[in-house]
């Protein structure tokens, strides 16, 4: 079995599942984590460092960092690029900005 280097490429017929916030979500092998979440109605899986605003896919091509998640303990994974093999545990990633712990930040990053 060969897998295309294109993150959006699908391999028809092979279902994969990921776990996110206590739910299992199914997708097709070759879909990205972001594709599986979006395909199942999940629109946000990260919050901003300041203001805790919801974020999900923005550029969809790995240029920005709006879709960062943790996959099986590995931080800073771009959900729009990672194609799961199946069974991965995906968790939200939220970090406070340095020097802002406990502050009420109005600016968004």
């Amino acid at each position: 079995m060969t897998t295309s280097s294109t993150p959006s490429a699908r391999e028809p017929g092979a279902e994969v599942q990921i776990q996110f916030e206590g739910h299992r979500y199914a997708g097709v092998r070759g879909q990205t984590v972001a594709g599986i979440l979006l395909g199942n109605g999940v629109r946000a899986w990260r919050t901003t460092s300041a203001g805790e605003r919801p974020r999900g896919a923005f550029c969809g091509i790995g240029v920005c960092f709006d879709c960062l998640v943790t996959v099986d303990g590995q931080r800073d994974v771009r959900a729009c690029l990672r194609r799961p093999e199946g069974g991965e545990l995906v968790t939200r990633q939220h970090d406070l900005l340095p020097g802002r712990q406990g502050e009420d930040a109005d600016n968004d990053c």
Side-chain angles (χ1 to χ4, degrees):
M1 175 175 84
T2 58
T3 302
S4 170
S5 62
T6 305
S8 60
R10 291 183 173 200
E11 294 175 17
E15 181 180 284
V16 294
Q17 291 190 1
I18 60 172
Q19 209 173 352
F20 179 71
E21 295 192 330
H23 301 281
R24 291 194 184 278
Y25 295 103
V28 177
R29 185 170 305 283
Q31 277 187 302
T32 61
V33 169
I36 292 171
L37 292 173
L38 288 168
N40 283 280
V42 179
R43 302 287 181 245
W45 48 83
R46 183 183 80 82
T47 55
T48 58
S49 298
E52 297 188 22
R53 292 176 180 86
R55 293 292 186 264
F58 180 69
C59 75
I61 59 172
V63 175
C64 74
F65 298 92
D66 268 1
C67 67
L68 289 181
V69 292
T70 299
V71 178
D72 290 337
Q74 180 183 358
R75 297 176 43 79
D76 301 326
V77 174
R78 290 182 180 125
C80 70
L81 296 179
R82 173 65 66 89
R83 287 178 288 177
E85 294 297 318
E88 285 87 344
L89 174 62
V90 178
T91 56
R92 290 181 184 268
Q93 187 170 310
H94 175 76
D95 298 307
L96 293 176
L97 292 172
R100 292 225 160 172
Q101 282 78 5
E103 291 183 24
D104 188 26
D106 290 332
N107 295 330
D108 193 9
C109 294

